[in-house]
């Protein structure tokens, strides 16, 4: 009977479950930190962190397998030594924010493990007790403590996931408002709007924005003009060659950019369309076309056919139906598709780099990249320009994220 | 006769010399493209060792305000040849013959020469230039005042003839025509089989389909054709068929194994990390009762929302010796200096960029899984990890397989991250891929840094076939797993 095995799982105190889950995570963090100490040539600290790593791993090993009191005692000892090492490093070591963070990953798990492993409940669990009073006590405390600990763990995980996003953003904002076109300097040590003024008043930045606007708006218009009828045809008609053409649209998405880049370049060169907006508009609208068609087809599919049939009985022509019924109903979808092709064109780098070699035809991506050459990098101006360019894009993206993700994953998953 | 010449010449200024006058004239009729023709009449004195020709865009009376164009040495022409120089900044003649030149192409005049002419190169067309000829003694001192004359060449810039657009136009037109014919044929077949109402579909589909064929399938075919030609930067539109030569170059190129291996490592590590971390975050975010869920989701979405090139350039700054990472660690390491560190850096940056897409797609799929199943599992006392492994993962498989294939293709084709972080550096050897080059960035540099279009096209075809093979293997393997289950 499997009842006993399940029972054993049921009566594990929430503290032990939490330690089982988080001690390995702490060990991984300490391993990374120890490697990074190698970069800082801080030998004693590296040894301290490595010892801590081994102790936490040992403590985790003591929580696996059979329940034994000696294992609990050994684990508590490991945790105690870990606490002592953490305290020692705190006293003698450096105390930058980073150092405190790595220390926290040694100190907090050690202290919690020590505290929990000497608590009566865990002691009872480790001694192998499964009498009714212990089980009842354990279950009731798990019901209280379990969700609390798992929520705290979730918050720790999410904060760590967000840190690599938030810290760079704060830093780049600081570079943008720090005097001098350089990196470095403490965060918040000085404030100037010079870089924003310089970027906004520079002729080059205006030209890049103008080029990007022309290309992106052009791409959106041309792309929609091609994609709306095609998406509608795929959604509403069952015609010979439908499956084959739909497959064709998927196949194109699979072509790697690199196989098409060079021929595009040669064709545009021959036709004299290098260094023009038209060349980029043509190429962008065609490369964004398959996904746009798939997105729109999905949206048109969701409009019931009965609406159209009713209108047809009323005597509307096909074009009238499309203009007065389908288009208004699918306007939000068309807007999302338009946003998608706009953003694709607005953010595209490689084709713009290859096609437009003269400074006055640069689009924003190529222009901003040209601010960071191998020498003479203008970091302050670049940071200011990046912030100005990103904010509208990010707001649009966040506002339409759900629809964009749905459309994209629909195309992707069906592809 | 001298007076007549002076009348004919448009601009003439003569200088009184220590011994005899130097007469400098220019003859617009003999100007060439970006060249001005000047004629000099002068009996050189005993101190004169050479002539210097100075020019500027304004009138000048000091050599400090002008630039030295060329120097003609006066000396013994015994044993020297009258040859045209290899690189002629000045094409000089005496008595209808080229002047003598030393081995270093320095023009030499015999002391008894009274008249000589030079065609001076490197002048902008349609812009006034002031030119003066200065006799100079052995110590480099001028023997006459500088009296520049005004001259200009009005021969316009010769633009290269426009390339022949006829073949491409014809090809594009025939593709468009055959697409139309195909659509008309399908439409007719539809009408014959009694599906008349669908005929309009072809009209709607035509623009997109024609655009796609003409601008995607044709370029791909053209690219494949280029792979068999000797096309390069210097000969566009005149490429010749050379068979499999480019493919031999590709296979024999140094570093091909290294760049292929790094591309595989790059792709596999990235996709694994994207899927694993994306799934972890998506799973965490869909757990019930998280405080600040919307805020977290929005923050975690930012690496996708911010334009990718901006993020990569910002990371480029963060990883520099005075960048953020070193500020945090209190070090001054250049993370892109050594091959290993540079490789780890570009991979980490690309992982950072790609997580949000996977997170969003997978959290969409997670929300679609019925929650009743988990409630039942909860009642049966199945732990969180087992729920994840035996309920969540199998239910996600329908999304995970295609999305990770898509991620594989995208990551394999990623260009921006590496180009904007390291440009493929650290350097390994000339013509070889750099330490962080993947196949895609290396093909780019073969095409646009080295200008070897044919070889680059052959690389593209090889890369495409490789990608196709991997995708096929992946689909087949995941299909096999499906059958086994």
């Amino acid at each position: 009977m499997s009842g006993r095995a399940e029972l054993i799982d049921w009566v594990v105190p929430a503290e032990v479950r939490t330690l089982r889950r988080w001690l390995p995570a702490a060990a991984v963090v300490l391993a990374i930190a120890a490697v990074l100490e190698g970069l800082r040539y801080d030998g004693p600290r590296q040894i301290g962190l490595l010892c801590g790593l081994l102790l936490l791993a040992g403590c985790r090993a003591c929580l696996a397998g059979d329940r034994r009191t000696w294992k609990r005692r050994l684990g508590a000892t490991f945790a105690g030594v870990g606490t002592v090492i953490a305290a020692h490093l705190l006293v003698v070591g450096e105390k930058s924010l980073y150092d405190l963070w790595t220390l926290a990953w040694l100190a907090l798990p050690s202290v919690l493990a020590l505290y929990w492993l000497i608590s009566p409940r865990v002691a009872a669990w480790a001694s192998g007790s499964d009498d009714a009073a212990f089980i009842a006590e354990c279950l009731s405390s798990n019901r209280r403590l379990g969700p609390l600990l798992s929520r705290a763990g979730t918050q720790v995980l999410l904060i760590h996931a967000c840190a690599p996003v938030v810290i760079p953003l704060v830093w780049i904002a600081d570079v943008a408002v720090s005097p001098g076109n350089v990196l470095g300097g403490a965060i918040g040590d000085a404030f100037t709007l010079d870089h924003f003024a310089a970027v906004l008043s520079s002729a080059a930045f205006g030209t890049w924005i103008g080029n990007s606007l022309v290309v992106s708006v052009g791409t959106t218009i041309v792309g929609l003009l091609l994609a709306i009828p095609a998406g509608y045809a795929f959604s509403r008609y069952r015609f010979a060659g439908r499956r084959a053409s739909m497959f064709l649209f998927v196949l194109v998405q699979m072509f790697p950019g690199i196989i098409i880049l060079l021929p595009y370049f040669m064709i545009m060169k021959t036709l004299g369309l290098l260094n023009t907006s038209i060349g980029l508009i043509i190429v962008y609208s065609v490369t964004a076309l398959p996904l746009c068609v798939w997105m729109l087809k999905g949206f048109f599919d969701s409009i019931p056919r009965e609406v159209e049939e009713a209108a047809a009985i009323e005597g509307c022509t096909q074009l009238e139906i499309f203009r007065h019924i389908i288009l208004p109903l699918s306007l939000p979808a068309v807007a999302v598709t338009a946003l998608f092709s706009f953003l694709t064109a607005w953010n595209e780098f490689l084709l713009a780099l290859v096609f437009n070699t003269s400074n006055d035809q640069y689009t924003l991506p190529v222009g901003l990249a040209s601010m960071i050459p191998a020498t003479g990098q203008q970091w302050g101006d670049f940071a200011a320009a990046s912030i100005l360019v990103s904010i509208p894009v990010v707001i649009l993206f966040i506002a339409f994220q759900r629809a964009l993700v749905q459309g994209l994953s629909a195309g992707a998953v069906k592809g | 006769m001298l007076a007549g010449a002076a009348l004919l010449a448009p601009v003439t200024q003569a200088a009184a010399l220590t011994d005899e006058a130097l007469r400098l004239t220019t003859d617009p009729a003999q100007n060439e493209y970006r060249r001005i023709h000047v004629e000099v009449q002068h009996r050189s004195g005993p101190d004169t060792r050479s002539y210097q020709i100075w020019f500027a865009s304004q009138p000048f009376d000091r050599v400090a305000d002008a630039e030295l164009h060329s120097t003609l040495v006066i000396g013994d022409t015994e044993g020297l040849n009258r040859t045209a120089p290899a690189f002629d900044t000045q094409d000089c003649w005496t008595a209808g013959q080229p002047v003598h030149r030393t081995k270093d192409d320095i023009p030499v005049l015999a002391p008894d020469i009274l008249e000589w002419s030079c065609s001076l190169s490197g002048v902008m067309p349609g812009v006034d230039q002031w030119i003066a000829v200065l006799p100079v003694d052995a110590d480099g001192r001028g023997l006459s005042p500088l009296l520049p004359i005004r001259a200009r060449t009005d021969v316009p810039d010769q633009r290269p003839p426009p390339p022949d657009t006829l073949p491409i136009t014809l090809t594009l037109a025939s593709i468009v025509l055959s697409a139309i014919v195909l659509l008309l044929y399908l439409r007719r077949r539809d009408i014959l089989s009694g599906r008349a109402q669908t005929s309009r579909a072809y009209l709607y589909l035509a623009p997109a389909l024609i655009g796609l064929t003409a601008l995607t399938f044709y370029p791909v075919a053209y690219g494949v054709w280029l792979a068999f030609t000797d096309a390069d930067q210097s000969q566009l539109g005149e490429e010749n068929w050379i068979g499999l030569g480019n493919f031999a170059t590709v296979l024999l190129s140094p570093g091909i194994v290294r760049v292929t291996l790094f591309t595989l490592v790059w792709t596999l590590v990235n996709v694994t990390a994207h899927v694993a971390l994306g799934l972890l975050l998506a799973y965490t975010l869909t757990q019930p009762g998280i405080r600040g869920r919307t805020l977290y989701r929005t923050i975690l979405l930012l690496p996708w929302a911010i334009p990718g090139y901006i993020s990569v350039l910002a990371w480029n700054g963060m990883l520099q010796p005075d960048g953020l990472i070193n500020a945090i660690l209190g070090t001054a390491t250049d993370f892109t200096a050594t091959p290993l560190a540079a490789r780890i850096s570009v991979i980490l940056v690309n992982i950072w960029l790609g997580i949000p897409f996977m997170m969003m797609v997978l959290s969409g799929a997670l929300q679609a899984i019925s929650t009743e199943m988990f409630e039942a599992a909860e009642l049966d006392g199945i732990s969180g990890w087992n729920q994840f492994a035996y309920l969540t993962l199998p239910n996600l498989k329908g999304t995970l397989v295609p999305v990770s294939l898509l991620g594989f293709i995208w990551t394999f084709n990623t260009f921006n991250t590496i180009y904007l972080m390291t440009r493929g550096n650290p350097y390994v050897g000339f013509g070889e891929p750099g330490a962080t080059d993947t196949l895609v960035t290396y093909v780019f540099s073969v095409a646009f840094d080295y200008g070897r279009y044919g070889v680059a096209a052959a690389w593209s075809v090889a890369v495409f076939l490789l990608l196709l093979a991997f995708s096929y293997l992946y689909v087949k393997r995941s299909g096999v797993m499906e059958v086994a289950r």
Side-chain angles (χ1 to χ4, degrees):
Chain A
M1 192 179 153
S2 66
R4 182 164 168 85
E6 274 166 27
L7 198 65
I8 289 170
D9 217 29
W10 267 82
V11 295
V12 174
E15 296 95 320
V16 176
R17 279 192 204 167
T18 308
L19 287 178
R20 279 179 179 169
R21 188 172 302 168
W22 282 93
L23 285 179
V28 169
V29 173
L30 289 179
I32 296 171
V35 170
L36 288 176
E37 290 304 327
L39 286 178
R40 311 168 87 197
Y41 304 107
D42 192 341
R45 205 183 150 80
Q46 191 174 29
I47 292 169
L49 292 178
L50 280 174
C51 290
L53 188 166
L54 291 176
L55 288 166
L56 292 186
C59 189
R60 172 67 183 83
C62 290
L63 292 171
D66 294 346
R67 297 184 279 167
R68 292 276 182 275
T69 300
W70 66 265
K71 282 165 95 177
R72 177 184 68 85
R73 290 197 179 126
L74 187 61
T77 316
F78 285 152
V81 179
T83 313
V84 172
I85 292 179
H88 170 75
L89 286 178
L90 184 63
V91 173
V92 301
E94 295 189 30
K95 291 176 193 63
S96 72
L97 268 179
Y98 168 75
D99 292 302
L100 293 179
W101 173 75
T102 51
L103 262 192
W105 272 98
L106 176 57
L108 280 180
S110 303
V111 169
L112 279 178
L114 181 62
Y115 175 71
W116 280 338
L117 286 178
I118 57 178
S119 70
R121 188 161 45 242
V122 177
W125 168 77
S127 68
S129 163
D130 42 8
D131 58 65
F134 163 72
I135 291 175
E137 209 266 337
C138 190
L139 285 180
S140 85
S141 85
N142 275 5
R143 201 165 302 132
R144 188 172 39 82
L145 211 56
L148 197 76
L149 287 175
S150 91
R151 240 179 284 147
T154 307
Q155 292 292 329
V156 170
L157 177 73
L158 287 174
I159 286 171
H160 276 81
C162 287
V165 181
V166 174
I167 294 172
L169 290 183
V170 173
W171 176 79
I172 204 83
D174 179 69
V175 171
V177 296
S178 296
N181 254 327
V182 290
L183 301 165
I187 285 183
D189 54 351
F191 185 82
T192 170
L193 287 176
D194 287 354
H195 296 305
F196 288 95
V199 165
L200 286 174
S201 62
S202 92
F205 190 67
T207 315
W208 300 338
I209 287 202
N211 291 334
S212 269
L213 273 178
V214 169
V215 169
S216 306
V217 171
T219 302
T220 310
I221 294 173
V222 175
L224 283 185
L225 283 181
L226 294 177
I228 292 178
Y232 185 73
F234 280 143
S235 164
R236 282 297 186 265
Y237 297 100
R238 299 290 175 271
F239 50 90
R242 174 173 179 269
R243 285 183 61 89
S245 349
M246 274 165 62
F247 176 70
L248 218 63
F249 275 79
V250 175
L251 187 71
V252 172
Q253 270 178 278
M254 300 290 157
F255 283 149
I258 195 75
I259 196 176
I260 223 162
L261 176 71
L262 186 62
Y264 268 157
F265 172 76
M266 310 273 276
I267 292 169
M268 292 298 162
K269 193 168 181 176
T270 315
L271 295 178
L273 290 176
L274 293 184
N275 282 317
T276 63
S277 301
I278 299 172
L280 278 183
I281 291 176
I282 292 176
V283 173
Y284 285 169
S285 14
V286 173
T287 42
L289 188 62
L291 214 50
C292 288
V293 169
W294 273 98
M295 284 168 91
L296 283 168
K297 177 195 171 288
F299 293 128
F300 288 140
D301 280 346
S302 65
I303 301 171
R305 267 166 173 267
E306 287 76 11
V307 185
E308 278 172 77
E309 281 159 11
I313 291 167
E314 298 286 325
C316 286
T317 65
Q318 186 74 51
L319 205 66
E320 279 170 344
I321 293 177
F322 188 76
R323 255 196 64 196
H324 296 296
I325 295 172
I326 300 296
L327 214 52
L329 278 176
S330 57
L331 208 56
V334 173
V336 169
T337 314
L339 178 70
F340 170 75
S341 21
F342 186 89
L343 287 181
T344 310
W346 186 258
N347 293 338
E348 205 283 336
F349 176 73
L350 177 56
L351 287 165
L353 175 75
V354 171
F355 280 20
N356 289 352
T357 45
S358 96
N359 196 10
D360 58 349
Q361 285 295 334
Y362 279 178
T363 55
L364 272 174
V366 185
L368 255 65
S370 76
M371 295 171 86
I372 312 293
T375 53
Q377 303 168 329
Q378 304 156 286
W379 283 107
D381 291 352
F382 164 78
S386 302
I387 291 171
L388 291 175
V389 172
S390 298
I391 284 178
V393 176
V394 168
I395 289 175
L396 275 176
F397 193 96
I398 301 282
F400 288 93
Q401 47 154 314
R402 263 171 214 289
L404 276 175
V405 170
Q406 258 169 17
L408 272 177
S409 54
V413 172
K414 278 170 196 157
Chain B
M1 189 238 157
L2 275 177
L7 274 177
L8 282 173
V11 187
T12 306
Q13 275 171 10
L17 270 181
T18 48
D19 42 7
E20 208 163 321
L22 182 143
R23 181 181 293 272
L24 174 63
T25 56
T26 175
D27 181 1
Q30 294 195 49
N31 286 348
E32 290 168 67
Y33 171 60
R34 295 206 170 197
R35 283 176 172 277
I36 289 178
H37 183 85
V38 292
E39 290 173 6
V40 178
Q41 294 173 11
H42 180 235
R43 179 182 298 279
S44 54
D47 294 339
T48 314
R49 289 288 180 275
S50 63
Y51 294 106
Q52 293 179 343
I53 304 177
W54 293 84
F55 78 105
S57 52
Q58 306 108 17
F60 58 94
D61 49 13
R62 300 180 303 155
V63 292
D65 296 334
E67 282 182 68
L68 181 63
H69 186 282
S70 23
T71 305
L72 290 86
V73 177
I74 297 172
D76 193 6
T77 57
E78 197 70 35
L80 298 180
N81 292 324
R82 289 177 180 269
T83 49
F87 178 74
D88 56 338
T89 50
Q90 75 291 98
D91 190 11
C92 296
W93 297 70
T94 55
Q97 278 187 300
V99 294
H100 293 90
R101 287 188 183 260
T102 66
K103 284 198 187 76
D104 305 326
D105 281 341
I106 295 166
V108 180
L109 297 169
D112 57 344
I113 285 176
L114 301 179
E115 287 186 41
W116 47 278
S117 67
C118 275
S119 178
L120 308 173
S121 71
V123 276
M124 289 295 288
V127 180
D128 281 341
Q129 300 284 343
W130 274 262
I131 297 171
V133 174
L134 187 64
V136 185
D137 67 9
D139 300 327
R141 283 182 305 224
L143 296 171
S144 81
L146 278 169
L147 292 171
I149 62 166
R150 187 164 61 90
R152 60 191 277 167
T153 168
D154 287 318
V155 179
D157 269 349
Q158 293 164 334
R159 301 197 174 277
D164 189 9
T165 58
L166 192 66
I168 284 188
T169 322
L170 272 184
T171 321
L172 285 176
S174 59
I175 288 172
V176 169
L177 271 180
S178 45
I180 292 175
V181 168
L182 180 70
L183 287 173
L184 283 176
Y185 166 74
L186 288 171
R187 173 168 180 261
R188 192 174 153 66
R189 235 181 53 178
D190 257 15
I191 292 173
L192 286 180
S193 64
R195 287 193 286 184
Q197 80 282 3
T198 64
S199 64
R200 212 179 291 269
Y202 297 106
L203 183 68
Y204 293 158
L205 193 60
L209 205 61
I210 290 170
L212 206 65
T213 347
L215 287 161
T216 311
F217 290 100
Y218 167 60
V220 169
Y222 183 52
V224 172
W225 180 75
L226 273 180
F228 295 94
T229 67
D230 60 354
D232 67 22
Q233 215 161 26
S234 59
Q235 47 179 51
L236 188 59
E238 294 164 6
E239 50 280 330
N240 303 305
W241 182 269
I242 57 163
L244 291 169
N246 290 329
F247 289 94
T249 315
V250 166
L251 286 177
L252 295 175
S253 55
I256 177 173
V257 175
R258 179 168 53 79
V259 72
T260 310
L261 279 180
F262 178 65
T263 309
L264 285 185
V265 170
W266 156 268
T267 312
L268 291 177
V269 171
N270 266 307
V271 175
T272 311
H274 288 160
V275 172
L277 294 174
L279 188 56
L280 173 71
L281 291 176
Y283 188 71
T284 312
L285 279 175
T286 45
Q287 296 301 300
I290 295 170
R291 230 175 259 179
R293 187 200 311 268
T294 316
L295 180 67
Y296 283 130
R297 190 194 291 275
T298 310
I299 289 176
L300 290 174
L301 201 62
L302 285 176
W304 186 17
I306 297 169
Y309 65 95
I310 287 181
S311 306
V312 177
L313 288 169
W315 273 105
N316 183 346
M318 278 184 256
L319 289 166
Q320 290 197 2
D322 48 359
L324 173 70
I325 305 299
N326 279 304
I328 288 177
L329 292 177
T331 52
T333 317
D334 188 350
F335 288 101
T336 51
T338 61
L340 183 66
R343 283 174 182 152
I344 294 175
S345 300
V346 289
I347 289 178
L348 284 179
V349 170
N350 203 59
I351 289 176
W352 185 89
L353 283 170
I355 291 175
F357 173 77
M358 289 295 173
M359 184 188 85
M360 290 308 287
V361 171
L362 292 175
S363 66
L366 279 172
Q367 280 160 352
I369 301 177
S370 149
T371 49
E372 286 164 22
M373 210 157 46
F374 293 98
E375 282 160 15
E378 200 73 46
L379 282 179
D380 285 344
I382 293 169
S383 70
W385 170 251
N386 285 338
Q387 280 184 29
F388 180 78
Y390 295 109
L391 288 178
T392 311
L393 270 188
N395 275 296
L396 273 185
K397 198 168 168 258
T399 310
L400 273 178
V401 171
V403 158
S404 52
L405 177 64
L406 200 71
F408 185 91
I409 295 174
W410 281 348
T411 313
F412 192 99
N413 287 319
T414 299
F415 172 81
N416 292 7
T417 312
I418 290 170
Y419 183 80
L420 292 175
M421 283 283 297
T422 62
R423 299 217 170 186
N425 288 325
Y427 176 85
V428 174
F430 180 76
E432 269 188 59
T436 56
D437 259 326
T438 62
L439 285 167
V440 167
T441 58
Y442 181 58
V443 173
F444 177 87
S445 75
V446 170
F448 297 102
D449 295 342
Y450 299 108
R452 306 175 68 189
Y453 295 152
V455 179
W459 269 106
S460 313
V461 172
V463 168
F464 181 49
L465 292 179
L466 194 69
L467 190 57
L468 215 59
F470 283 128
S471 307
Y472 176 75
L473 271 180
Y474 179 87
V475 169
K476 211 177 158 195
R477 267 202 74 126
S478 54
V480 166
M481 276 159 58
E482 212 154 37
V483 172
R485 195 171 275 276

